[in-house]
Amino acid sequence: MSEQGFLSIRGLTKRYAAFTAVEDLDLDVPRGELVAFLGPSGCGKTTSLRMIAGLVPATSGRIVVDGKDLTEVPTHRRDMGLVFQSYALFPHMSIARNVAFGLEMRKVPKDEIARRVKEAIALVHLTGKEEHRPTQLSGGQQQRVALARALVVRPSILLLDEPLSNLDAKLRDEMRNEIREIQQRLGITAIFVTHDQGEALTMCDKVVVMNQGRLEQLGTPVDLYERPRTAFVASFVGRTNRLASVAKDGSVEIAGQRIAAPAGLSGPVEVMIRPHRIAFAPAGEGVPGTIAKAVFAGDILQYDVEVAGQILSVELATRGGETVLSPGTAVGLSWRPQDVFVYGAAA
Ligand SMILES: Nc1ncnc2c1ncn2[C@@H]1O[C@H](COP(=O)(O)OP(=O)(O)OP(=O)(O)O)[C@@H](O)[C@H]1O
Ligand SMILES: [Mg+2]
Protein backbone atom coordinates (compact mmCIF):
# COMPACT_ATOMS: atom_id res chain seq x y z
CA MET A 1 0.00 0.00 0.00
CA SER A 2 1.18 3.53 -0.72
CA GLU A 3 2.21 5.88 2.08
CA GLN A 4 -0.72 7.06 4.16
CA GLY A 5 -1.76 10.67 3.84
CA PHE A 6 -2.99 13.03 6.54
CA LEU A 7 -6.40 12.15 5.13
CA SER A 8 -6.49 8.55 4.08
CA ILE A 9 -9.49 6.98 2.35
CA ARG A 10 -9.75 3.29 1.55
CA GLY A 11 -12.43 1.51 -0.45
CA LEU A 12 -15.00 4.23 0.15
CA THR A 13 -18.28 3.14 -1.44
CA LYS A 14 -21.84 4.44 -1.47
CA ARG A 15 -24.75 2.44 -2.84
CA TYR A 16 -28.35 3.55 -3.11
CA ALA A 17 -30.26 0.28 -3.64
CA ALA A 18 -28.88 -1.09 -6.93
CA PHE A 19 -27.19 2.20 -7.89
CA THR A 20 -23.55 2.81 -6.96
CA ALA A 21 -22.87 6.54 -6.49
CA VAL A 22 -19.23 6.11 -5.37
CA GLU A 23 -17.23 2.96 -5.88
CA ASP A 24 -14.11 1.84 -4.06
CA LEU A 25 -12.44 5.24 -3.68
CA ASP A 26 -8.83 5.14 -2.46
CA LEU A 27 -7.12 8.46 -1.77
CA ASP A 28 -4.28 9.88 0.32
CA VAL A 29 -4.07 13.62 0.87
CA PRO A 30 -0.84 14.90 2.46
CA ARG A 31 -1.14 17.52 5.19
CA GLY A 32 -1.55 21.04 3.87
CA GLU A 33 -2.56 20.09 0.34
CA LEU A 34 -5.55 21.36 -1.58
CA VAL A 35 -7.08 18.56 -3.63
CA ALA A 36 -9.83 19.04 -6.20
CA PHE A 37 -12.59 16.52 -6.88
CA LEU A 38 -13.33 17.17 -10.54
CA GLY A 39 -15.90 15.53 -12.75
CA PRO A 40 -19.19 15.91 -14.59
CA SER A 41 -22.54 16.29 -12.86
CA GLY A 42 -23.61 13.14 -11.05
CA CYS A 43 -20.16 11.51 -10.94
CA GLY A 44 -20.16 11.28 -7.14
CA LYS A 45 -18.19 14.34 -5.99
CA THR A 46 -20.69 15.61 -3.42
CA THR A 47 -21.44 12.10 -2.19
CA SER A 48 -17.71 11.47 -1.61
CA LEU A 49 -17.31 14.77 0.22
CA ARG A 50 -20.38 14.14 2.38
CA MET A 51 -19.11 10.70 3.32
CA ILE A 52 -15.81 12.26 4.39
CA ALA A 53 -17.76 14.81 6.45
CA GLY A 54 -19.95 12.08 7.94
CA LEU A 55 -23.14 13.63 6.55
CA VAL A 56 -23.84 10.54 4.44
CA PRO A 57 -23.05 7.10 5.87
CA ALA A 58 -20.66 5.07 3.71
CA THR A 59 -21.83 1.65 2.54
CA SER A 60 -18.28 0.43 3.03
CA GLY A 61 -14.74 1.73 3.29
CA ARG A 62 -12.67 3.64 5.84
CA ILE A 63 -11.81 7.29 6.50
CA VAL A 64 -8.71 8.02 8.57
CA VAL A 65 -7.44 11.48 9.53
CA ASP A 66 -4.04 11.89 11.14
CA GLY A 67 -3.97 8.21 12.06
CA LYS A 68 -7.41 8.28 13.67
CA ASP A 69 -10.18 6.15 12.16
CA LEU A 70 -13.23 8.40 11.81
CA THR A 71 -15.44 5.97 9.94
CA GLU A 72 -17.82 5.47 12.88
CA VAL A 73 -17.39 8.98 14.34
CA PRO A 74 -20.42 11.31 14.00
CA THR A 75 -20.13 14.52 11.93
CA HIS A 76 -19.90 16.96 14.81
CA ARG A 77 -16.88 15.12 16.22
CA ARG A 78 -15.01 14.81 12.94
CA ASP A 79 -13.52 18.27 13.23
CA MET A 80 -14.14 19.24 9.62
CA GLY A 81 -15.08 22.65 8.24
CA LEU A 82 -17.73 22.69 5.53
CA VAL A 83 -18.48 25.29 2.89
CA PHE A 84 -21.29 24.67 0.42
CA GLN A 85 -22.53 26.18 -2.82
CA SER A 86 -25.38 27.93 -1.00
CA TYR A 87 -23.95 29.94 1.83
CA ALA A 88 -26.65 28.80 4.30
CA LEU A 89 -26.02 31.75 6.65
CA PHE A 90 -28.55 32.54 9.38
CA PRO A 91 -30.39 35.55 7.92
CA HIS A 92 -31.53 37.02 11.25
CA MET A 93 -28.04 36.96 12.79
CA SER A 94 -25.21 39.43 12.34
CA ILE A 95 -22.07 38.38 10.47
CA ALA A 96 -20.19 38.13 13.76
CA ARG A 97 -22.87 35.86 15.28
CA ASN A 98 -22.91 33.70 12.16
CA VAL A 99 -19.16 33.21 12.43
CA ALA A 100 -19.35 32.67 16.21
CA PHE A 101 -22.03 29.99 15.95
CA GLY A 102 -19.74 26.94 15.80
CA LEU A 103 -17.69 28.17 18.73
CA GLU A 104 -20.80 28.83 20.83
CA MET A 105 -21.98 25.28 20.08
CA ARG A 106 -18.62 24.05 21.32
CA LYS A 107 -18.97 26.11 24.52
CA VAL A 108 -15.77 28.05 23.91
CA PRO A 109 -15.31 30.88 26.52
CA LYS A 110 -16.82 34.23 25.48
CA ASP A 111 -13.61 36.27 25.30
CA GLU A 112 -11.92 33.61 23.22
CA ILE A 113 -14.92 33.55 20.86
CA ALA A 114 -14.67 37.34 20.43
CA ARG A 115 -10.97 37.11 19.62
CA ARG A 116 -11.28 34.23 17.18
CA VAL A 117 -14.30 35.71 15.38
CA LYS A 118 -12.38 38.95 14.91
CA GLU A 119 -9.41 37.04 13.49
CA ALA A 120 -11.55 34.95 11.15
CA ILE A 121 -13.41 37.99 9.84
CA ALA A 122 -10.11 39.77 9.22
CA LEU A 123 -8.79 36.69 7.43
CA VAL A 124 -11.58 36.91 4.84
CA HIS A 125 -11.29 40.71 4.58
CA LEU A 126 -14.64 41.59 6.12
CA THR A 127 -13.47 43.70 9.05
CA GLY A 128 -16.04 46.45 9.59
CA LYS A 129 -18.97 44.28 8.45
CA GLU A 130 -19.34 42.43 11.78
CA GLU A 131 -22.76 43.89 12.60
CA HIS A 132 -24.21 43.63 9.08
CA ARG A 133 -26.86 41.02 8.23
CA PRO A 134 -26.13 38.50 5.45
CA THR A 135 -28.65 40.17 3.10
CA GLN A 136 -26.63 43.39 3.32
CA LEU A 137 -23.62 41.63 1.78
CA SER A 138 -22.83 40.68 -1.83
CA GLY A 139 -22.69 37.03 -2.89
CA GLY A 140 -18.91 36.98 -2.68
CA GLN A 141 -18.96 38.55 0.77
CA GLN A 142 -21.54 36.03 1.95
CA GLN A 143 -19.38 33.19 0.69
CA ARG A 144 -16.46 34.69 2.61
CA VAL A 145 -18.59 34.65 5.76
CA ALA A 146 -19.30 30.97 5.13
CA LEU A 147 -15.55 30.41 4.77
CA ALA A 148 -14.81 32.31 8.01
CA ARG A 149 -17.48 30.29 9.79
CA ALA A 150 -15.85 27.05 8.64
CA LEU A 151 -12.32 28.19 9.51
CA VAL A 152 -13.04 29.72 12.91
CA VAL A 153 -13.35 26.30 14.55
CA ARG A 154 -9.84 25.45 13.25
CA PRO A 155 -10.92 22.29 11.47
CA SER A 156 -8.35 19.62 10.67
CA ILE A 157 -9.80 19.45 7.16
CA LEU A 158 -11.69 22.01 5.11
CA LEU A 159 -14.30 20.61 2.71
CA LEU A 160 -15.63 22.92 -0.01
CA ASP A 161 -18.46 21.85 -2.31
CA GLU A 162 -18.64 24.10 -5.39
CA PRO A 163 -18.31 27.16 -3.16
CA LEU A 164 -17.91 29.56 -6.08
CA SER A 165 -20.59 28.40 -8.50
CA ASN A 166 -23.12 31.04 -7.43
CA LEU A 167 -20.70 33.89 -8.09
CA ASP A 168 -20.14 35.78 -11.32
CA ALA A 169 -16.97 35.14 -13.30
CA LYS A 170 -14.92 38.05 -11.96
CA LEU A 171 -15.79 37.41 -8.33
CA ARG A 172 -15.14 33.72 -8.81
CA ASP A 173 -11.63 34.53 -9.97
CA GLU A 174 -10.97 36.74 -6.96
CA MET A 175 -12.37 34.20 -4.53
CA ARG A 176 -10.28 31.39 -6.07
CA ASN A 177 -7.14 33.33 -5.32
CA GLU A 178 -8.35 34.26 -1.89
CA ILE A 179 -9.31 30.72 -0.87
CA ARG A 180 -6.01 29.38 -2.15
CA GLU A 181 -4.06 32.09 -0.36
CA ILE A 182 -5.84 31.49 2.96
CA GLN A 183 -5.56 27.70 2.62
CA GLN A 184 -1.81 27.98 2.06
CA ARG A 185 -1.28 30.57 4.77
CA LEU A 186 -3.05 28.38 7.34
CA GLY A 187 -1.46 25.21 5.94
CA ILE A 188 -4.86 23.58 6.07
CA THR A 189 -5.66 20.31 4.31
CA ALA A 190 -8.62 20.86 2.01
CA ILE A 191 -10.83 19.22 -0.60
CA PHE A 192 -12.44 21.40 -3.22
CA VAL A 193 -15.30 19.99 -5.27
CA THR A 194 -15.80 21.49 -8.70
CA HIS A 195 -16.93 20.58 -12.19
CA ASP A 196 -14.85 23.44 -13.58
CA GLN A 197 -11.56 22.09 -14.88
CA GLY A 198 -9.98 25.56 -14.95
CA GLU A 199 -10.69 25.96 -11.26
CA ALA A 200 -9.25 22.54 -10.46
CA LEU A 201 -6.09 23.08 -12.54
CA THR A 202 -5.26 26.59 -11.40
CA MET A 203 -6.06 26.35 -7.67
CA CYS A 204 -5.17 22.89 -6.51
CA ASP A 205 -2.05 20.85 -5.71
CA LYS A 206 -3.64 17.65 -6.96
CA VAL A 207 -6.77 16.78 -8.84
CA VAL A 208 -8.94 13.67 -8.55
CA VAL A 209 -10.85 13.19 -11.78
CA MET A 210 -14.04 11.23 -11.15
CA ASN A 211 -16.28 9.53 -13.68
CA GLN A 212 -19.43 7.56 -12.85
CA GLY A 213 -18.54 7.06 -9.22
CA ARG A 214 -14.97 5.97 -9.84
CA LEU A 215 -11.62 7.67 -9.50
CA GLU A 216 -10.41 7.96 -13.07
CA GLN A 217 -7.03 9.60 -12.38
CA LEU A 218 -5.26 11.33 -9.51
CA GLY A 219 -2.37 13.64 -10.27
CA THR A 220 -0.97 17.13 -10.36
CA PRO A 221 -2.51 19.53 -12.87
CA VAL A 222 0.51 18.95 -15.14
CA ASP A 223 0.13 15.14 -14.90
CA LEU A 224 -3.50 15.30 -15.89
CA TYR A 225 -3.04 17.70 -18.75
CA GLU A 226 0.15 16.25 -20.22
CA ARG A 227 -0.31 12.58 -19.34
CA PRO A 228 -4.03 11.81 -19.23
CA ARG A 229 -4.40 8.10 -18.58
CA THR A 230 -7.81 7.70 -20.19
CA ALA A 231 -9.77 9.22 -23.06
CA PHE A 232 -12.20 10.59 -20.48
CA VAL A 233 -9.46 12.53 -18.66
CA ALA A 234 -7.94 13.78 -21.92
CA SER A 235 -11.25 15.20 -23.07
CA PHE A 236 -12.44 16.47 -19.68
CA VAL A 237 -9.22 18.26 -18.69
CA GLY A 238 -8.43 20.83 -21.37
CA ARG A 239 -9.83 20.81 -24.89
CA THR A 240 -8.87 18.22 -27.40
CA ASN A 241 -9.52 16.88 -30.88
CA ARG A 242 -10.80 13.34 -31.13
CA LEU A 243 -10.14 11.33 -34.27
CA ALA A 244 -11.33 7.81 -34.88
CA SER A 245 -8.80 5.36 -36.26
CA VAL A 246 -7.69 1.74 -36.03
CA ALA A 247 -4.59 0.39 -34.28
CA LYS A 248 -2.72 -2.40 -36.02
CA ASP A 249 0.74 -3.86 -35.44
CA GLY A 250 1.67 -1.21 -32.86
CA SER A 251 0.66 1.84 -34.84
CA VAL A 252 -2.25 3.98 -35.94
CA GLU A 253 -2.68 5.67 -39.31
CA ILE A 254 -3.96 9.20 -39.84
CA ALA A 255 -4.10 10.43 -43.44
CA GLY A 256 -1.14 8.33 -44.47
CA GLN A 257 0.99 9.16 -41.42
CA ARG A 258 1.68 6.43 -38.90
CA ILE A 259 1.67 7.16 -35.19
CA ALA A 260 2.96 4.75 -32.55
CA ALA A 261 0.17 3.18 -30.52
CA PRO A 262 0.53 1.97 -26.91
CA ALA A 263 1.71 -1.63 -26.64
CA GLY A 264 -1.05 -4.21 -26.82
CA LEU A 265 -3.60 -1.85 -28.34
CA SER A 266 -5.39 -3.05 -31.47
CA GLY A 267 -8.73 -2.42 -33.12
CA PRO A 268 -10.73 0.83 -33.01
CA VAL A 269 -8.97 3.69 -31.19
CA GLU A 270 -9.45 7.34 -30.44
CA VAL A 271 -6.56 9.66 -31.24
CA MET A 272 -6.45 12.91 -29.30
CA ILE A 273 -4.42 16.06 -29.98
CA ARG A 274 -4.95 19.43 -28.36
CA PRO A 275 -5.78 22.21 -30.87
CA HIS A 276 -2.87 24.46 -29.84
CA ARG A 277 -0.34 21.63 -30.08
CA ILE A 278 -0.85 21.34 -33.82
CA ALA A 279 1.31 23.42 -36.17
CA PHE A 280 1.36 24.05 -39.90
CA ALA A 281 4.22 22.20 -41.56
CA PRO A 282 6.37 23.64 -44.35
CA ALA A 283 4.87 23.30 -47.84
CA GLY A 284 4.53 19.71 -49.01
CA GLU A 285 5.21 18.20 -45.56
CA GLY A 286 3.13 16.93 -42.66
CA VAL A 287 -0.28 15.35 -42.58
CA PRO A 288 -2.25 16.66 -45.58
CA GLY A 289 -5.47 18.56 -44.87
CA THR A 290 -7.73 21.27 -46.23
CA ILE A 291 -8.88 24.40 -44.42
CA ALA A 292 -12.63 24.09 -43.83
CA LYS A 293 -13.13 27.20 -41.71
CA ALA A 294 -11.01 30.08 -40.45
CA VAL A 295 -11.80 32.37 -37.51
CA PHE A 296 -9.58 35.26 -36.47
CA ALA A 297 -10.21 35.67 -32.72
CA GLY A 298 -7.59 38.31 -31.98
CA ASP A 299 -5.13 36.48 -29.79
CA ILE A 300 -5.60 33.23 -31.65
CA LEU A 301 -6.36 32.00 -35.15
CA GLN A 302 -8.79 29.10 -35.13
CA TYR A 303 -8.95 26.72 -38.04
CA ASP A 304 -11.09 23.72 -38.76
CA VAL A 305 -8.98 21.50 -40.97
CA GLU A 306 -10.38 18.52 -42.80
CA VAL A 307 -8.04 15.56 -42.50
CA ALA A 308 -9.01 12.26 -44.10
CA GLY A 309 -12.72 13.03 -43.79
CA GLN A 310 -12.54 14.20 -40.16
CA ILE A 311 -12.27 17.73 -38.78
CA LEU A 312 -9.30 18.78 -36.65
CA SER A 313 -9.46 22.02 -34.74
CA VAL A 314 -6.16 23.92 -34.88
CA GLU A 315 -5.28 27.01 -32.85
CA LEU A 316 -2.34 29.25 -33.50
CA ALA A 317 -1.30 32.14 -31.28
CA THR A 318 -1.19 35.31 -33.38
CA ARG A 319 1.90 37.47 -33.47
CA GLY A 320 0.66 39.96 -36.02
CA GLY A 321 1.08 39.98 -39.76
CA GLU A 322 0.02 36.41 -40.50
CA THR A 323 -2.28 35.65 -43.41
CA VAL A 324 -5.60 34.12 -42.57
CA LEU A 325 -5.85 31.09 -44.83
CA SER A 326 -9.12 30.76 -46.77
CA PRO A 327 -11.32 27.68 -46.82
CA GLY A 328 -10.16 25.27 -49.50
CA THR A 329 -6.43 25.97 -48.95
CA ALA A 330 -4.32 22.81 -48.82
CA VAL A 331 -2.11 22.61 -45.72
CA GLY A 332 0.19 20.16 -43.98
CA LEU A 333 -0.16 19.63 -40.23
CA SER A 334 2.52 18.57 -37.80
CA TRP A 335 2.68 17.73 -34.13
CA ARG A 336 5.15 16.29 -31.67
CA PRO A 337 4.73 12.59 -30.86
CA GLN A 338 4.34 13.35 -27.14
CA ASP A 339 1.31 15.51 -27.87
CA VAL A 340 -0.67 12.67 -29.38
CA PHE A 341 -2.68 10.39 -27.10
CA VAL A 342 -4.07 7.12 -28.36
CA TYR A 343 -6.78 5.22 -26.45
CA GLY A 344 -8.84 2.14 -27.15
CA ALA A 345 -12.26 3.30 -28.37
CA ALA A 346 -15.18 2.57 -26.05
CA ALA A 347 -17.22 -0.30 -27.51
N1 LIG B 1 -30.11 10.10 -1.69
C1 LIG B 1 -29.88 9.58 -2.89
N2 LIG B 1 -30.60 8.54 -3.37
C2 LIG B 1 -30.33 8.01 -4.57
N3 LIG B 1 -29.38 8.45 -5.41
C3 LIG B 1 -28.63 9.49 -5.00
C4 LIG B 1 -28.83 10.11 -3.72
N4 LIG B 1 -27.92 11.12 -3.59
C5 LIG B 1 -27.21 11.13 -4.74
N5 LIG B 1 -27.63 10.15 -5.58
C6 LIG B 1 -27.07 9.86 -6.92
O1 LIG B 1 -25.69 9.65 -6.80
C7 LIG B 1 -25.00 10.17 -7.94
C8 LIG B 1 -23.89 11.07 -7.47
O2 LIG B 1 -24.45 12.25 -6.92
P1 LIG B 1 -23.55 13.46 -6.41
O3 LIG B 1 -24.43 14.44 -5.78
O4 LIG B 1 -22.44 12.91 -5.60
O5 LIG B 1 -22.98 14.01 -7.79
P2 LIG B 1 -21.99 15.25 -8.05
O6 LIG B 1 -20.78 14.70 -8.69
O7 LIG B 1 -21.82 16.04 -6.81
O8 LIG B 1 -22.81 16.07 -9.16
P3 LIG B 1 -23.04 17.67 -9.34
O9 LIG B 1 -21.83 18.18 -10.11
O10 LIG B 1 -24.28 17.73 -10.17
O11 LIG B 1 -23.20 18.28 -7.98
C9 LIG B 1 -26.05 10.86 -8.79
O12 LIG B 1 -26.39 10.01 -9.86
C10 LIG B 1 -27.21 11.05 -7.85
O13 LIG B 1 -28.44 11.03 -8.55
MG1 LIG C 1 -22.41 17.98 -6.24
Side-chain angles (χ1 to χ4, degrees):
M1 195 187 283
S2 63
E3 201 187 327
Q4 276 214 343
F6 177 68
L7 167 64
S8 177
I9 294 170
R10 289 290 175 274
L12 197 62
T13 300
K14 181 67 191 180
R15 280 189 238 289
Y16 292 107
F19 178 74
T20 304
V22 176
E23 186 155 19
D24 203 16
L25 179 67
D26 287 340
L27 178 65
D28 281 288
V29 181
R31 192 190 293 269
E33 276 197 1
L34 177 58
V35 173
F37 282 3
L38 173 70
S41 184
C43 72
K45 305 179 296 294
T46 294
T47 306
S48 302
L49 198 78
R50 293 177 83 86
M51 284 193 283
I52 295 169
L55 295 168
V56 165
T59 306
S60 57
R62 310 221 68 81
I63 296 158
V64 175
V65 175
D66 206 9
K68 190 170 165 229
D69 193 324
L70 297 185
T71 315
E72 309 298 332
V73 173
T75 305
H76 65 278
R77 295 232 203 81
R78 285 198 186 189
D79 189 24
M80 294 183 183
L82 303 168
V83 180
F84 299 107
Q85 178 175 0
S86 63
Y87 328 125
L89 302 177
F90 302 114
H92 58 286
M93 285 186 196
S94 69
I95 299 313
R97 285 290 314 287
N98 265 282
V99 175
F101 187 76
L103 298 175
E104 287 171 0
M105 295 295 286
R106 286 169 169 79
K107 308 254 185 295
V108 173
K110 276 217 163 58
D111 51 340
E112 187 182 339
I113 292 182
R115 188 170 48 76
R116 281 168 65 176
V117 166
K118 193 169 171 224
E119 270 173 24
I121 288 178
L123 190 68
V124 298
H125 307 298
L126 286 176
T127 302
K129 305 274 188 208
E130 290 83 353
E131 295 316 313
H132 283 58
R133 305 277 144 157
T135 50
Q136 295 173 295
L137 301 185
S138 70
Q141 288 170 332
Q142 290 183 54
Q143 196 51 290
R144 291 213 288 262
V145 176
L147 184 61
R149 186 179 53 179
L151 290 171
V152 78
V153 298
R154 297 179 186 150
S156 60
I157 295 181
L158 182 64
L159 303 173
L160 306 121
D161 192 353
E162 310 233 17
L164 308 182
S165 53
N166 279 340
L167 307 179
D168 66 48
K170 184 166 171 290
L171 207 51
R172 204 153 60 217
D173 251 11
E174 274 174 38
M175 282 295 292
R176 274 178 198 162
N177 292 333
E178 217 162 293
I179 289 177
R180 176 59 159 164
E181 198 266 321
I182 290 170
Q183 178 267 330
Q184 286 183 316
R185 184 138 50 95
L186 301 181
I188 195 165
T189 311
I191 296 180
F192 188 101
V193 166
T194 180
H195 56 252
D196 180 331
Q197 47 118 356
E199 210 155 87
L201 291 183
T202 56
M203 275 182 77
C204 299
D205 297 297
K206 303 240 179 70
V207 181
V208 170
V209 179
M210 293 185 70
N211 181 21
Q212 298 185 347
R214 295 187 145 273
L215 184 153
E216 188 95 8
Q217 187 170 353
L218 160 68
T220 63
V222 175
D223 286 337
L224 294 180
Y225 192 84
E226 302 293 355
R227 290 172 289 280
R229 218 177 286 143
T230 63
F232 177 83
V233 175
S235 55
F236 198 77
V237 179
R239 288 171 313 114
T240 190
N241 286 293
R242 309 171 80 134
L243 293 176
S245 187
V246 176
K248 216 180 118 198
D249 305 327
S251 73
V252 169
E253 192 226 284
I254 297 177
Q257 204 191 60
R258 297 206 77 84
I259 295 169
L265 201 60
S266 74
V269 291
E270 277 196 284
V271 179
M272 301 206 184
I273 315 167
R274 303 205 187 274
H276 68 283
R277 299 277 170 93
I278 302 176
F280 286 140
E285 294 176 26
V287 176
T290 310
I291 302 284
K293 189 177 161 198
V295 175
F296 178 77
D299 48 356
I300 53 169
L301 255 168
Q302 297 171 322
Y303 289 110
D304 284 354
V305 181
E306 195 194 316
V307 173
Q310 304 185 69
I311 294 289
L312 269 182
S313 161
V314 178
E315 283 180 8
L316 307 172
T318 57
R319 294 150 167 242
E322 49 269 280
T323 323
V324 180
L325 301 172
S326 338
T329 309
V331 291
L333 301 179
S334 69
W335 45 71
R336 304 177 306 170
Q338 65 265 40
D339 289 329
V340 181
F341 309 127
V342 181
Y343 305 100

